[in-house]
Amino acid sequence: MSALNDLALTVEEREPGRFYWVLLEAVHDTGSTADTLGYRPLRVAAQPQPSYSSALALGTAALKKLATTATHPDAGGSA
C-alpha cells in the first residue's frame, strides 16, 4: 500500500442517485515528465448511498479506519 499521504477520496455517481465512495492510491510514474499523479482504486464502497454527502461521510470513515490501522496495527480491523 502507498504511504498515507498518497491516498485520495472521491465519490462517484455511477447511476442517478447511487453514490459510491472510492479510496484511491497514487501511482508514481517515473517515466512521466509532467508534474501530475495518477491514481488507481484501492477500496470501493460495497453498497451505494442515496446522496453524495452520505457516501463522502462513509468514505471519510473508511479512510480514517485505514489510517488508524496503518499507524496503529493493534487498533483492530483489517486493512
Side-chain angles (χ1 to χ4, degrees), residues 24-58:
L24 304 166
E25 67 177 335
V27 178
H28 299 279
D29 181 5
T30 57
S32 177
T33 58
D35 286 335
T36 61
L37 278 177
Y39 287 88
R40 66 177 170 222
L42 176 65
R43 302 242 166 94
V44 180
Q47 300 288 328
Q49 295 299 307
S51 69
Y52 180 95
S53 60
S54 294
L56 184 61
L58 290 174

Side-chain angles (χ1 to χ4, degrees), residues 1-2 6-12 14 20-28 37-46 63 66:
M1 182 178 75
S2 295
D6 290 343
L7 298 179
L9 168 62
T10 191
V11 173
E12 298 177 349
R14 296 182 182 174
Y20 292 81
W21 57 262
V22 181
L23 294 180
L24 304 166
E25 67 177 335
V27 178
H28 299 279
L37 278 177
Y39 287 88
R40 66 177 170 222
L42 176 65
R43 302 242 166 94
V44 180
L63 182 57
L66 183 64

